[in-house]
Amino acid sequence: MINKTQLLNVHKIAVRIDSFLATWGPLLLVILAAGYYGAYLNNGLNLGGEGGTTAVIAMRLMEGQRPIADTFLGYNVLWFYPIALLFQITGSDYLAMRIFFFVICLCTALLAFLTVRKITGSGLIALGVGVMLVLIPGMLFRNYMGLMAVANQWALVSAFLLAMAGLRQRALMIGVAGIVLGLTFLIRIEVGLFMSVIAAGLLLLNIFKPGRAWAIGLRESLMGGSLGLVAMVLVHLPFAWDAHARGYATQFYSQYTSFVGLMNWELKKQFERKPPSVHSPKQPKQADNVTVSQQTPAPTSQEAGGRRQRPELHQVLSAPKSRDRYFAAAIYLPLFLSLVMVIIASVTLLTAWLRGLEGLWTKSLIVLVLTGCALTLFPQYYFFRPDTPHISEFMVPFLPAIVVTTFLLLRNAKRPLGFVFGFGFLLACLLQIWIHFGHAWPKESAGTIAARKHGPADFVGLNNVRVKLRPAHAEALAGLQAAIVDNSTSEDWVVCFPYSPTINFMTDRSSYLWDMYTDNTMARPEFDSFHIALLKRNKPAAVVIDHRAINNNEASRFPNWAPQLYAYLKENFRFGGEFLGNEVFLRKETDQP
C-alpha cells in the first residue's frame, strides 16, 4: 500500500518536473525541432507546391516588380517580402527558404507553448502541445497560417484575459495585440478581418466584465482600442508609403475593400448546384509521341463544376479504406468539437455575467478566443480546399484550443455532472489528437517527417535546389530540367499550366504569367483564346502541361477544360518529353523571337 508520505513525495517530484518543463520547455522544443526538421530538411520536391510560387514572386519583387500591379500575389505583401529579404542575403536559395519556414514552424510551437503555459500554469501540458505542433507543423511554405492564428491567440489572451498590474499595462498589451493584428492583415487579409471581429468583440465585452464598474472597462477599452488601432496603422505605414511611391496604392488599398466581396463570391460557389460546365472530353487527334492518355472520362454531375469535394459524413464509418475514414473524421470532428466549445463557453459566459462571476467570465472568454482564432482558418479547409494540407494548418491553432478547453473543464468541475462532462470532452480531445496523427502524420503534405520516404537519390537544380528523391523521380526531374535548360536561355520565358511554379524556380526561367495559378474552377470562357494570343506574342521557349487532377476529379485535368489551348500546343510546338505526368512542349526553331 502506498502511504500518504509516499504520495506527497510523488507529488513533489511531479511538481518539480512540471516546473522544470515550464522553465526549460522552450529549449527542449528548439532541440526537438532542430533534430526533427534537420532529418528531412532536403527531402522531396513538389512541383505544384506553394514554395515555388513564393520563391518566384519574391524574385520578381527583387527585380523591382510592383506587388499586385505587376505580379499577382494572392496573399498580401508580407507573405513574400521576408523571402525577398532572405534572397537578398543568401541569393535565390531553395534550402534557405525551407529553413526559413521551418523556423516559422518552431516559432509557432513556442508561442503555443507560452499561451498554454500562461493559461494552465502547467509546463507538461504546454510542452505536449508544443511537441504536437513541431511534429505536424502544417504544409511547408504556408506555415504563416498557423503562426498568424497562434500569435493572435497569444496576443489576445494576454491582452484581455490575463491578470495585469494596472490599466497602463493592459492598454500597452492591447497595443501589442494591434501590432500582431496589423501583421496578420499584411500577410492574409481575410484572416485579419476574422481576427478583427474577435478583437472588437473583446473590446466590447471588456466593458461589461463582472466585478467592476462599466466606466472602468469603457476607459480601458477606449485606451487600449485606440492604441491598438494606432499600432495597426504604424505597422502598415512602410508598406503604404512604398505603394504610394511606386504607384500601386490603388491596388494595395483595394485589397482591403474587395476581400469581403471575394469571400462572399467564394461562398456562393460552394453552394452552387449546377452541373459542371467543362469542355467535352473528346480531344483532337493525339500526336504519336505523346504518351499521356487524352481519353479521360467525362466528369460526373457530383463533381459540382470540378471543385474539390468534401467526403460525405457517413464515410467516417463506411469508407472502405482506413485512410479515407481518417480523412473524413479529420474534416468533421473539428466541426463538432467547435460547436460544443462555442456553445458551452457562450452559456457559461452569460451565466458568469448574470451572477457576477469574474473567474468564470475570464475562462469562458479564453475558450471562445482560442476557438475563434482557430476557426479563422476553418473556411479554407472546410469550404474551399478540403485536403490534408489545409486541415493540418487548421489543426495548428485548434490543438491548443481543445487542450486548454479540456484542462479548464476538468480543473473547474465542482459537481459530478461537470466532471463527467469534462472527462467526456477529454476523451473527445484524445480522439481528435489520435485522428489528427493518424491522418496527417503519414503524409508529407502536412509538413511531417513522412517526407523522408523520398531518397536516396540526389537531384540538383538551379537556385540551390538540392533535394533527396526516389531514384526514378530524380531521373525524371533531371530529364525535365534538361529539356528546358538545354533548349532555352535565362532570358527566355517558360510557362507552366495549370500550376507548377517550382519548375520555373529550379530551372531559373521566368514566367510571363501575371497569376501563375489557374484551374477549371477559375478559368473564364476566353481562357484558351487569351493564352493562345499570349503564346503567339511572347514565344516562350517551353510550355509545361501538368496532367494531374488538380482538384481531385477528372473535370480538373487540363485537357478537359482547356482543349483548344492544348491542341494549339501540340500543333505549334514540338514535343520535348513527358516527365512525371508533365508534358514539355518546346518552341520550334522557326518560331524564335
Side-chain angles (χ1 to χ4, degrees):
M1 292 289 292
I2 300 177
N3 58 40
K4 187 175 181 179
T5 302
Q6 289 174 321
L7 285 174
L8 287 174
N9 289 335
V10 170
H11 179 262
K12 288 179 181 179
I13 293 172
V15 169
R16 288 175 183 173
I17 292 174
D18 193 75
S19 177
F20 174 84
L21 295 178
T23 302
W24 296 102
L27 178 60
L28 296 177
L29 289 175
V30 170
I31 295 171
L32 171 65
Y36 182 71
Y37 297 143
Y40 62 103
L41 173 63
N42 62 340
N43 285 82
L45 185 68
N46 185 358
L47 299 183
E50 294 222 13
T53 302
T54 302
V56 169
I57 292 177
M59 292 171 70
R60 289 178 174 182
L61 298 179
M62 291 167 62
E63 294 166 0
Q65 291 191 34
R66 298 171 302 166
I68 314 167
D70 299 328
T71 182
F72 178 77
L73 298 186
Y75 314 134
N76 210 346
V77 293
L78 206 54
W79 189 288
F80 305 98
Y81 274 136
I83 304 302
L85 177 61
L86 176 69
F87 285 175
Q88 291 279 8
I89 299 170
T90 65
S92 300
D93 191 310
Y94 178 75
L95 289 182
M97 184 174 65
R98 283 184 68 98
I99 292 172
F100 172 84
F101 278 100
F102 278 131
V103 171
I104 292 289
C105 299
L106 173 60
C107 291
T108 304
L110 291 172
L111 278 173
F113 175 92
L114 293 176
T115 304
V116 175
R117 187 184 65 182
K118 280 185 174 183
I119 297 169
T120 66
S122 170
L124 180 61
I125 295 175
L127 183 63
V129 171
V131 168
M132 287 189 288
L133 299 197
V134 168
L135 296 181
I136 308 180
M139 178 170 52
L140 198 62
F141 306 122
R142 281 181 56 95
N143 306 105
Y144 291 124
M145 301 299 290
L147 177 64
M148 285 188 296
V150 171
N152 277 279
Q153 286 178 329
W154 168 80
L156 293 174
V157 166
S158 300
F160 290 96
L161 303 174
L162 298 182
M164 291 283 173
L167 176 59
R168 184 175 299 177
Q169 288 78 4
R170 176 79 65 192
L172 182 61
M173 192 61 210
I174 294 176
V176 172
I179 293 175
V180 173
L181 184 56
L183 295 173
T184 301
F185 269 106
L186 286 166
I187 298 172
R188 285 290 292 257
I189 292 173
E190 78 279 18
V191 178
L193 289 171
F194 294 143
M195 293 294 181
S196 297
V197 174
I198 299 172
L202 285 170
L203 286 169
L204 179 62
L205 289 171
N206 186 59
I207 300 173
F208 304 102
K209 183 178 180 180
R212 68 178 183 189
W214 67 268
I216 296 175
L218 178 62
R219 185 176 62 172
E220 195 172 87
S221 290
L222 287 175
M223 286 182 60
S226 299
L227 187 57
L229 185 60
V230 169
M232 286 182 59
V233 172
L234 290 176
V235 167
H236 275 78
L237 275 182
F239 305 95
W241 179 270
D242 180 68
H244 280 279
R246 297 171 60 199
Y248 67 97
T250 300
Q251 294 92 332
F252 179 74
Y253 293 130
S254 66
Q255 298 179 102
Y256 291 80
T257 56
S258 64
F259 250 97
V260 175
L262 177 61
M263 288 189 292
N264 182 54
W265 177 74
E266 287 282 2
L267 281 172
K268 284 183 178 179
K269 284 202 309 179
Q270 296 301 313
F271 298 103
E272 288 176 353
R273 288 294 179 261
K274 296 186 303 181
S277 175
V278 295
H279 296 286
S280 166
K282 183 178 179 181
Q283 301 295 331
K285 185 177 179 181
Q286 184 174 322
D288 292 338
N289 55 356
V290 177
T291 61
V292 176
S293 172
Q294 300 309 315
Q295 300 304 316
T296 324
T300 69
S301 60
Q302 294 179 347
E303 290 176 346
R307 293 190 298 272
R308 182 180 289 268
Q309 297 297 292
R310 291 190 302 273
E312 298 293 336
L313 178 59
H314 66 80
Q315 290 184 267
V316 173
L317 299 175
S318 64
K321 296 181 180 179
S322 62
R323 66 182 182 184
D324 295 329
R325 294 193 294 273
Y326 271 110
F327 179 57
I331 286 178
Y332 289 106
L333 185 55
L335 176 60
F336 168 75
L337 290 178
S338 297
L339 287 173
V340 172
M341 292 158 70
V342 170
I343 292 171
I344 295 299
S346 298
V347 170
T348 55
L349 183 71
L350 180 60
T351 302
W353 182 66
L354 292 173
R355 296 183 179 180
L357 303 174
E358 181 181 351
L360 183 61
W361 168 276
T362 299
K363 291 162 187 171
S364 301
L365 274 180
I366 285 174
V367 173
L368 286 173
V369 168
L370 294 182
T371 308
C373 288
L375 289 176
T376 62
L377 307 189
F378 177 81
Q380 293 191 67
Y381 96 76
Y382 192 81
F383 293 113
F384 306 135
R385 298 292 296 184
D387 56 17
T388 298
H390 292 82
I391 295 173
S392 64
E393 68 187 20
F394 164 77
M395 289 300 300
V396 170
F398 193 60
L399 284 172
I402 61 174
V403 169
V404 167
T405 300
T406 303
F407 172 84
L408 293 177
L409 285 172
L410 290 173
R411 183 72 176 269
N412 295 279
K414 292 183 171 58
R415 298 179 180 178
L417 183 60
F419 181 79
V420 169
F421 183 82
F423 185 74
F425 195 87
L426 170 63
L427 295 179
C429 176
L430 294 175
L431 178 63
Q432 174 68 84
I433 294 171
W434 175 274
I435 289 172
H436 177 49
F437 270 78
H439 163 246
W441 176 264
K443 298 181 180 179
E444 63 178 303
S445 59
T448 74
I449 201 170
R452 287 280 294 177
K453 66 185 179 184
H454 295 288
D458 293 312
F459 169 74
V460 179
L462 301 181
N463 291 321
N464 201 31
V465 176
R466 299 174 179 271
V467 294
K468 297 283 187 182
L469 298 171
R470 296 186 183 95
H473 283 200
E475 182 180 356
L477 282 191
L480 173 62
Q481 177 174 272
I484 294 173
V485 173
D486 293 349
N487 291 279
S488 64
T489 70
S490 59
E491 303 300 317
D492 283 319
W493 300 115
V494 171
V495 182
C496 303
F497 292 113
Y499 180 62
S500 299
T502 304
I503 293 176
N504 293 97
F505 189 66
M506 76 183 200
T507 60
D508 198 26
R509 298 295 187 266
S510 299
S511 171
Y512 59 70
L513 296 177
W514 181 71
D515 181 359
M516 288 178 289
Y517 181 87
T518 189
D519 63 20
N520 55 304
T521 69
M522 301 175 66
R524 297 184 177 183
E526 65 273 15
F527 178 87
D528 290 39
S529 59
F530 176 78
H531 283 284
I532 288 172
L534 288 181
L535 290 173
K536 292 178 178 178
R537 185 176 72 190
N538 292 297
K539 300 184 184 299
V543 180
V544 182
I545 302 298
D546 182 358
H547 283 268
R548 68 193 166 106
I550 195 167
N551 286 322
N552 205 33
N553 52 60
E554 295 303 329
S556 63
R557 294 190 191 276
F558 186 81
N560 278 344
W561 56 271
Q564 287 83 24
L565 177 55
Y566 185 67
Y568 179 86
L569 288 170
K570 291 198 295 182
E571 183 176 347
N572 294 277
F573 284 69
R574 57 192 176 92
F575 182 66
E578 179 195 341
F579 310 93
L580 298 178
N582 293 273
E583 287 183 290
V584 179
F585 294 93
L586 300 171
R587 181 177 57 204
K588 292 181 179 179
E589 297 296 331
T590 55
D591 289 333
Q592 296 294 326

